Amino acid sequence: MAKTDEQTGQAGQSRQTDGQAGQSARAETTLGYEQARDELVEVVRRLEAGGTSLEESLALWERGEELAKVCRHWLEGARARLDAALAEDEDAEGAEEAESAGEG
């Protein structure tokens, strides 16, 4: 009978994980970088302070992973925009140099 209870508990946990995955996807689209970073700092602070149960620590760790993913997403987007802007500047400088060389 205990095995059946364990199986039931595991099934309940997998349903929670599916729900958490949905929450993670929503969090990624709604959290700004600064908000995610600040929450991540708080999660790390709580983990480092200790005094939490194993279950709570695992939940904090998972939340931290989600928040780190959100931050990484924002930073990658910022890097792509910066690279695109730098590429545009290089293209414009190259065009100017080509024009100058043609005039001289």
Side-chain angles (χ1 to χ4, degrees), residues 52-73:
T52 57
S53 68
L54 177 60
E55 188 172 313
E56 186 178 2
S57 294
L58 287 172
L60 285 168
W61 180 271
E62 289 170 351
R63 180 62 180 158
E65 290 289 333
E66 292 170 2
L67 293 165
K69 183 178 177 182
V70 171
C71 290
R72 201 169 26 255
H73 171 78

Side-chain angles (χ1 to χ4, degrees), residues 69-102:
K69 183 178 177 182
V70 171
C71 290
R72 201 169 26 255
H73 171 78
W74 279 104
L75 291 172
E76 288 170 357
R79 169 55 70 187
R81 289 176 59 191
L82 187 58
D83 288 345
L86 290 172
E88 285 178 18
D89 285 347
E90 288 175 8
D91 290 345
E93 286 177 13
E96 287 175 11
E97 288 176 10
E99 285 179 18
S100 296

Side-chain angles (χ1 to χ4, degrees), residues 9-41:
Q10 289 172 352
Q13 277 188 337
S14 69
R15 270 183 257 135
Q16 281 181 336
T17 304
D18 292 343
Q20 288 171 348
Q23 288 175 350
S24 176
R26 283 191 301 275
E28 192 166 328
T29 59
T30 59
L31 283 178
Y33 172 78
E34 291 82 4
Q35 188 178 9
R37 181 202 58 213
D38 291 347
E39 188 178 340
L40 179 56
V41 167

